[in-house]
Amino acid sequence: MHTRTLGPFTVTAIGLGCMNLSHAYGIPPSAEQGERLLRAALDAGVTLFDTAALYGFGANETLVGRVLKAERSRITLCSKGGMAGVAGDDGVTRRVIDGRPEAIFRDCENSLRRLQTDVIDLYYLHRWDKKVPVEESVGALSRLVEQGKVRTIGLSEVGAQTIRKAHAVHPVTAVQTEYSLWTRNAEIAVLGACRELGINFVAFSPVARGFLCDAVPDVRTFDAKDIRRTMPRFDPENHARNLQLLPPYKELAREAGCTPAQLALAWLLHQGEYVLPIPGTTNVEHLHEDLAAADVKLSPDLLRRVGALINEKTVAGNRYSEQSNREVDTEVF
């Protein structure tokens, strides 16, 4: 397996995003299927695993903790707090962004319990709660480091100015944001800030939520709980326009001697050694396909052509709804 550094850790160049084993894309797989996928990742040599308190309102961390605890010493375990499921007075659990120190401490304790571990290797602020100065939230993360409950800290979905403010309080090991051929917001300023400050960049949704795998032929088949239903790029009109990008894209993948998913991941890996993609999947065959992308070599000319084909100017629709855009801090084109 190809490896890269993630702060003080040496990890596989391609990690595993565990979210969709419990959350987000409709009805999740069974716990048995999720365990099979996680064990296949371990068997394949994956050492970077990413989860969060939010995913499945704790179910994902519970699954990951149960399956990975026997291999804890050889993996880098990442989770996130500051956004979690909170039960309301009506008994319904809802997603809540809360960056107050007391909420971050509570989230971390819950994550440690569910993950069945004494320490989380990389703990992210899942969202910056804009009602709380980021310095205050990062101060709470730094205290978790001092207490030995967290080894390193990260931020998710924040812009360059926020990264610099946070890094001044405590060294930030990684910034995690959506990044792929069709989501280039990180290129505005975040990637530059990460390079300048020596911070790793972890790319989630690196295959464009299935689009760059050629796995979304008909958006009308999405499950009622599939989060893509709220994403403008997947509304029928925009999706129809975006589908026109796939035939020339698949031709470039054939030229590269790889699959469309592998081309998307290889393109990310070629953006710099500090970039680590974390694709997610529920399918063991797809897992092995994704991991093999680390072996794909792309010429400068092919990199240029694939980047020119799919980018912020050629893709129709915003990546998030207006509500979701208000909750993140990333720069926009």
Side-chain angles (χ1 to χ4, degrees):
M1 295 288 285
H2 297 267
T3 61
R4 292 188 170 183
T5 58
L6 174 60
F9 313 110
T10 298
V11 299
T12 41
I14 297 175
L16 180 67
C18 300
M19 179 183 75
N20 56 354
L21 298 178
S22 311
H23 182 88
Y25 297 117
I27 299 173
S30 66
E32 291 74 19
Q33 289 174 292
E35 178 173 345
R36 190 178 309 118
L37 191 283
L38 288 169
R39 294 199 181 281
L42 286 170
D43 291 343
V46 174
T47 60
L48 176 60
F49 293 84
D50 184 275
T51 181
L54 177 70
Y55 303 158
F57 295 150
N60 196 246
E61 286 183 323
T62 299
L63 171 67
V64 168
R66 176 173 57 80
V67 177
L68 301 187
K69 64 179 179 179
E71 305 292 338
R72 182 67 185 89
S73 62
R74 75 175 182 91
I75 67 169
T76 297
L77 183 59
C78 311
S79 194
K80 312 176 194 73
M83 182 164 69
V86 177
D89 294 337
D90 58 0
V92 176
T93 300
R94 295 178 177 86
R95 186 189 66 152
V96 174
I97 298 174
D98 191 344
R100 296 173 300 156
E102 57 266 36
I104 291 171
F105 296 149
R106 178 200 65 216
D107 289 349
C108 185
E109 291 295 338
N110 289 336
S111 291
L112 288 167
R113 173 178 49 79
R114 289 189 292 255
L115 290 167
Q116 301 187 48
T117 186
D118 295 326
V119 61
I120 297 168
D121 296 314
L122 173 55
Y123 193 59
Y124 293 92
L125 183 66
H126 202 160
R127 288 289 186 274
W128 171 34
D129 179 353
K130 297 177 183 178
K131 301 185 298 296
V132 179
V134 71
E135 294 91 340
E136 190 174 326
S137 297
V138 173
L141 294 176
S142 72
R143 288 194 287 280
L144 291 171
V145 175
E146 292 168 1
Q147 294 166 8
K149 296 176 180 179
V150 168
R151 290 197 169 102
T152 63
I153 72 168
L155 305 170
S156 179
E157 291 280 31
V158 293
Q161 182 178 6
T162 304
I163 292 169
R164 290 190 171 91
K165 288 180 180 179
H167 195 69
V169 174
H170 188 278
V172 174
T173 289
V175 171
Q176 182 174 141
T177 292
E178 182 177 358
Y179 186 36
S180 68
L181 281 161
W182 87 339
T183 296
R184 304 289 196 91
N185 303 63
E187 295 177 352
I188 300 171
V190 167
L191 292 177
C194 287
R195 287 192 299 268
E196 174 191 333
L197 298 172
I199 296 172
N200 280 98
F201 184 90
V202 176
F204 75 76
S205 297
V207 294
R209 303 183 187 274
F211 179 82
L212 292 174
C213 306
D214 192 18
V216 192
D218 188 351
V219 295
R220 293 171 298 181
T221 64
F222 285 158
D223 181 83
K225 294 184 178 180
D226 194 312
I227 61 173
R228 291 173 293 185
R229 281 184 170 270
T230 67
M231 295 178 175
R233 288 178 182 172
F234 292 101
D235 74 41
E237 183 177 346
N238 286 332
H239 185 62
R241 291 174 58 189
N242 291 329
L243 284 176
Q244 297 174 26
L245 297 169
L246 282 180
Y249 175 72
K250 290 192 288 185
E251 183 56 41
L252 288 172
R254 284 190 288 270
E255 184 177 335
C258 64
T259 68
Q262 289 170 342
L263 179 58
L265 293 167
W267 180 86
L268 277 169
L269 290 171
H270 281 71
Q271 301 310 303
E273 285 289 321
Y274 68 106
V275 176
L276 295 109
I278 50 167
T281 183
T282 61
N283 183 292
V284 173
E285 183 178 344
H286 292 165
L287 168 70
H288 291 298
E289 176 188 350
D290 289 345
L291 297 177
D295 295 319
V296 175
K297 305 300 181 187
L298 303 177
S299 69
D301 178 63
L302 190 54
L303 280 169
R304 179 190 60 78
R305 284 187 286 143
V306 72
L309 174 66
I310 301 181
N311 56 61
E312 76 284 355
K313 295 179 181 177
T314 63
V315 172
N318 292 319
R319 71 179 181 116
Y320 280 152
S321 66
E322 290 186 14
Q323 171 64 30
S324 294
N325 275 326
R326 286 194 293 270
E327 294 176 350
V328 300
D329 179 52
T330 44
E331 293 86 358
V332 296
F333 287 101

